[in-house]
Amino acid sequence: MATDHSANVGRDFKTLFSPFRIGRRDVKNRIVSTAHASGFDSGLLNERHVNYLVRKAAGGAGLIMTFGSASVYKYSSASYGSISLWNSDNEPLLTDLADRVHAHGGLIMSQATHMGRRGDSAISGRPLQAPSAISEGIHRETPHVLRIEDISPIIDAFADAAARLERCGWDGIEITSFSGHLIEQFWSPTINKRTDRYGGDFDGRMRFSEEVIEAVAEAVSDDFIIGFRMTGDPVTDDLGLDQDDMLDIAERLDSLGHIDLFHISGGNAATYAAQSAVVPGDTFARGTYNHASHRMKKHLSAPVLVAGRILDPQQAEDALVNDDCDLVGMTRAIIADPDLPQKTIDGDLSHIRPCNACTEGCIGRLYSGMPIICTVNPAVGDDSLDHIKPADHSRRILIVGGGPAGMEAARVAAERGHDVTLLERGDQLGGQMTAAVSAPERPHYGRHIEWLKRELERLDVDVRLKTEATSEALINPDPDTVVLATGSYPDIHAETGDVTTRCVTDIAILENDVSIKQGERVIVYDREGKFRGASIANVAANAGASQVELVTPLWSVCEDLDAMQKPELYRLLGENQVILSPNQQLAGQRDGYLLLKDVWSGNERRVDEADLAIFVGYQTAEDALYEQLKQADPHLDVQMIGDTIAPRRLSDAIAEGVRIGSNL
């Protein structure tokens, strides 16, 4: 029996920490880390991935789901190197992983799929397989049409994967149709054009999924959990399936009597916009798909798990009490702080490190072909940073700069027992994040900074605002170490000179140092190609500019932004009628106006129609204090972190702050 922790927590979370029966097994609480790929593997499970998953169980999550898009079939590659469930070489570590999760009192299940037309044959060297020769809107590769004789081996592969997992001590399998995988492709009347027994009417299109579920049920014992993940809200018409259709499908599958848990979220990979809704970012509402799970729960006999922007324990408890679901997926919240469940049990809510909903480190990196990290939790990328060890002896640490890097360095150093003083020349902590958090597309972006402020107060860090640091002032207290986290400052292009157009940075706009006048014509020049250029263009449009043009020398606007964030920004740019002008290089000035040159043709254009030019991506490191300190005291231990070394990403600033705090 699962331990009932509900008696140990306040009434606010009594449901969240009550045990629950899934099939014939009991889970100790309702918190689930849902399946996602990590990019740590290449088909074969490794120790890094095992440790990552065990860490979630150690933090108290009741159910650990693993291996997003894990392939059951040798001829269908998993995405992002996810685990090949068909490969027996994975069995030793699968067994070890299950044992270690169970040691922490958790249950463990693996997602299992055949991706069908999703993907690229370059991964496997074999053609994609699908019900019909209709390509996906994103990957655009025409698949091979599965023949009748091709289908049975795939069904058998699902059953074999389930049997392997049970043999390795796992608690269950999660069959998935979600996000446009093969099962969903069979359901869709716009994708499945077959005229045989696996196509045509509703019965025919359901047949493949029903046979998969029946085969899996026959291959495992009654104690083994069979879960099913599907979209409750496709967020697109491209499937020819709406929310009513998805409910009909779920009821049909439920009637088979084999499914122990339905996992409901939303979105689909048929279009870029629908794909961005699969892992909804900060432009989506909290509890994005609670409406879909609530409806499903009313009609299904099996319990329902919901996923999609459940960010904190109170929101999770509310979803359960409101009958939206029986279990709650809190995947990104647990990535940000794997100890979220235990801290909630302990009543230590303010100590939970919050997800800032940026998606840059997790799904954003994965969709850019890199292993995941977490922007606010650098231990995901470097597990040596997970546990803060007490210092051998207390030292006097002076930190200059109250941005994310400096705040993290101060937090970790103080946690270890050092005497920490933090100097910030401004009137508030946060550095350039104080401007970034005002971007309307990112309402949760500042949660980490607010958490750091609380942590510094809890740890009694001596924070001195409105304090300008000089070499003399830093040396006189005789610190053991000075950490420079002075960051960088935004700049404009050096060749703007004395142009007649007002030239400012995006930070100046966001910090209200400069205002956009009603009816002004605005040009945004973005050499960074990520989030900021599009965001400030939208800000300008919403501020009343009569015309906004977003110019970049890159192939496209937001060129280096991941595919999960880009669709929403593009949507907003379109709604705001922002003119998009890629491949335009700033080439100085002419006759008092900015000059643009086409990157490829060399054709030049004088920008004489803009009243205001906003520059994005020009950052200069503020590192002068380092040389001043070393000249004043060559023996002083002076270290630099974050943008002080070189302007980079928020994740770099946070990671370097944690790392130096851990090493002092």
Side-chain angles (χ1 to χ4, degrees):
M1 274 298 281
T3 302
D4 186 351
H5 290 288
S6 61
N8 300 326
V9 296
R11 69 174 67 181
D12 290 343
F13 305 106
K14 205 161 188 66
T15 309
L16 187 61
F17 287 95
S18 61
F20 187 78
R21 172 146 287 206
I22 308 173
R24 296 190 179 186
R25 296 183 187 263
D26 294 308
V27 64
K28 65 182 179 181
N29 59 50
R30 313 295 186 92
I31 298 174
V32 182
S33 176
T34 62
H36 66 86
S38 67
F40 296 162
D41 320 277
S42 184
L44 292 177
L45 182 59
N46 60 36
E47 287 286 353
R48 179 185 178 188
H49 201 168
V50 168
N51 292 336
Y52 168 74
L53 294 166
V54 171
R55 180 65 183 86
K56 296 183 179 188
L63 172 57
I64 310 299
M65 289 182 163
T66 69
F67 313 147
S69 303
S71 175
V72 300
Y73 194 50
K74 187 173 184 178
Y75 302 125
S76 172
S77 296
S79 63
Y80 316 109
S82 194
I83 302 305
S84 299
L85 292 177
W86 50 264
N87 194 333
S88 61
D89 290 345
N90 278 314
E91 290 190 14
L93 280 182
L94 286 173
T95 302
D96 180 55
L97 174 54
D99 290 344
R100 291 172 65 186
V101 168
H102 290 154
H104 290 289
L107 299 185
I108 186 166
M109 298 172 62
S110 174
Q111 190 170 99
T113 194
H114 184 303
M115 296 187 70
R117 68 176 189 165
R118 288 226 71 200
D120 185 336
S121 61
I123 297 173
S124 65
R126 300 183 180 92
L128 302 178
Q129 300 175 317
S132 303
I134 298 174
S135 62
E136 183 191 75
I138 294 174
H139 290 92
R140 303 179 300 281
E141 181 173 327
T142 302
H144 164 71
V145 178
L146 287 164
R147 298 181 175 87
I148 288 286
E149 60 268 25
D150 297 328
I151 294 176
S152 292
I154 297 173
I155 295 170
D156 292 342
F158 274 98
D160 291 343
R164 169 167 286 117
L165 289 167
E166 185 169 32
R167 190 163 62 247
C168 292
W170 286 54
D171 300 294
I173 189 170
E174 181 182 70
I175 304 164
T176 186
S177 63
F178 181 60
S179 188
H181 291 202
L182 182 62
I183 289 175
E184 189 177 88
Q185 293 163 32
F186 270 96
W187 292 343
S188 167
T190 63
I191 299 171
N192 183 351
K193 299 298 185 182
R194 304 177 73 94
T195 57
D196 59 19
R197 61 194 300 265
Y198 290 100
D201 62 10
F202 182 72
D203 290 342
R205 289 183 282 111
M206 289 297 299
R207 193 179 311 280
F208 175 69
S209 56
E210 291 172 339
E211 291 182 355
V212 166
I213 293 167
E214 295 281 3
V216 167
E218 188 174 340
V220 297
S221 73
D222 291 340
D223 292 333
F224 192 71
I225 298 169
I226 299 176
F228 196 93
R229 184 169 192 182
M230 61 183 291
T231 183
D233 181 357
V235 196
T236 177
D237 296 329
D238 286 47
L239 297 182
L241 300 169
D242 59 19
Q243 294 184 50
D244 290 340
D245 296 316
M246 301 314 293
L247 177 58
D248 290 342
I249 289 170
E251 288 182 309
R252 178 67 168 263
L253 298 180
D254 191 37
S255 70
L256 298 176
H258 298 306
I259 294 178
D260 300 305
L261 178 65
F262 278 94
H263 181 178
I264 305 300
S265 49
N268 181 269
T271 68
Y272 285 112
Q275 178 179 259
S276 71
V278 168
V279 184
D282 216 7
T283 56
F284 292 83
R286 279 172 165 251
T288 313
Y289 299 114
N290 286 26
H291 68 284
S293 64
H294 181 89
R295 188 180 185 206
M296 291 280 192
K297 188 176 185 305
K298 289 195 299 183
H299 290 86
L300 301 178
S301 64
V304 170
L305 159 67
V306 70
R309 289 185 56 70
I310 309 290
L311 304 180
D312 55 61
Q314 189 60 62
Q315 188 189 355
E317 176 75 16
D318 291 345
L320 294 165
V321 172
N322 293 338
D323 221 24
D324 292 336
C325 56
D326 299 291
L327 297 107
V328 185
M330 300 189 72
T331 309
R332 282 177 284 178
I334 291 173
I335 292 174
D337 192 340
D339 291 321
L340 178 151
Q342 189 59 52
K343 288 178 180 177
T344 307
I345 290 173
D346 295 340
D348 198 7
L349 298 179
S350 66
H351 193 37
I352 296 171
R353 181 196 294 111
C355 170
N356 71 350
C358 70
T359 74
E360 291 173 357
C362 50
I363 190 69
R365 274 179 58 97
L366 196 67
Y367 270 59
S368 299
M370 296 178 283
I372 67 165
I373 59 172
C374 176
T375 296
V376 300
N377 179 15
V380 173
D382 179 359
D383 60 10
S384 70
L385 302 177
D386 189 31
H387 297 291
I388 298 173
K389 299 177 181 178
D392 294 335
H393 60 275
S394 179
R395 306 174 68 212
R396 294 185 304 278
I397 309 299
L398 191 56
I399 298 173
V400 184
M407 295 173 76
E408 282 285 10
R411 175 186 72 86
V412 177
E415 189 80 68
R416 297 181 62 222
H418 292 308
D419 178 9
V420 181
T421 300
L422 175 63
L423 308 182
E424 166 56 43
R425 68 184 174 194
D427 60 1
Q428 60 181 318
L429 295 173
Q432 289 189 44
M433 283 293 291
T434 59
V437 299
S438 66
E441 305 91 348
R442 287 178 159 176
H444 292 84
Y445 200 45
R447 297 178 84 207
H448 176 252
I449 293 296
E450 294 306 311
W451 174 77
L452 281 173
K453 291 177 182 177
R454 294 194 300 270
E455 287 291 283
L456 296 186
E457 183 176 355
R458 177 181 70 86
L459 294 165
D460 292 324
V461 172
D462 182 7
V463 176
R464 302 179 187 178
L465 301 176
K466 299 181 182 179
T467 302
E468 189 73 40
T470 65
S471 58
E472 181 180 355
L474 295 179
I475 291 173
N476 284 340
D478 192 25
D480 294 305
T481 297
V482 175
V483 177
L484 298 182
T486 44
S488 62
Y489 61 87
D491 209 345
I492 59 177
H493 195 284
E495 296 182 9
T496 54
D498 297 322
V499 296
T500 57
T501 306
R502 283 197 303 155
C503 295
V504 301
T505 68
D506 60 326
I507 300 296
I509 298 291
L510 294 173
E511 290 184 338
N512 296 317
D513 293 333
V514 176
S515 61
I516 298 171
K517 299 173 184 177
Q518 191 75 23
E520 275 193 312
R521 298 164 300 175
V522 176
I523 184 169
V524 176
Y525 186 78
D526 175 24
R527 76 168 185 176
E528 185 178 73
K530 294 185 177 133
F531 179 90
R532 288 168 54 180
S535 179
I536 201 65
N538 287 322
V539 166
N542 291 326
S546 61
Q547 175 181 296
V548 181
E549 181 179 5
L550 177 53
V551 177
T552 180
L554 306 176
W555 292 101
S556 62
V557 299
C558 306
E559 174 72 21
D560 294 329
L561 192 63
D562 65 84
M564 300 306 285
Q565 294 190 78
K566 194 179 292 187
E568 278 293 287
L569 280 180
Y570 266 54
R571 177 182 65 80
L572 292 170
L573 290 169
E575 290 178 357
N576 289 325
Q577 299 182 334
V578 174
I579 301 167
L580 308 183
S581 299
N583 303 303
Q584 299 296 304
Q585 178 73 51
L586 190 63
Q589 60 174 303
R590 178 185 296 162
D591 303 327
Y593 296 100
L594 296 175
L595 188 66
L596 295 175
K597 181 172 68 173
D598 185 87
V599 171
W600 306 112
S601 69
N603 292 337
E604 293 183 344
R605 165 192 159 198
R606 196 179 72 169
V607 185
D608 53 13
E609 74 281 10
D611 303 302
L612 176 68
I614 304 173
F615 288 83
V616 177
Y618 293 89
Q619 298 284 137
T620 302
E622 293 205 55
D623 56 2
L625 194 53
Y626 179 85
E627 290 299 331
Q628 295 171 16
L629 284 170
K630 297 305 288 184
Q631 289 178 13
D633 184 353
H635 302 293
L636 180 64
D637 180 22
V638 183
Q639 302 193 43
M640 296 190 296
I641 56 175
D643 279 11
T644 313
I645 301 172
R648 286 159 294 151
R649 293 156 292 273
L650 176 61
S651 58
D652 297 307
I654 292 172
E656 289 173 12
V658 173
R659 186 170 291 111
I660 200 167
S662 300
N663 293 332
L664 289 171

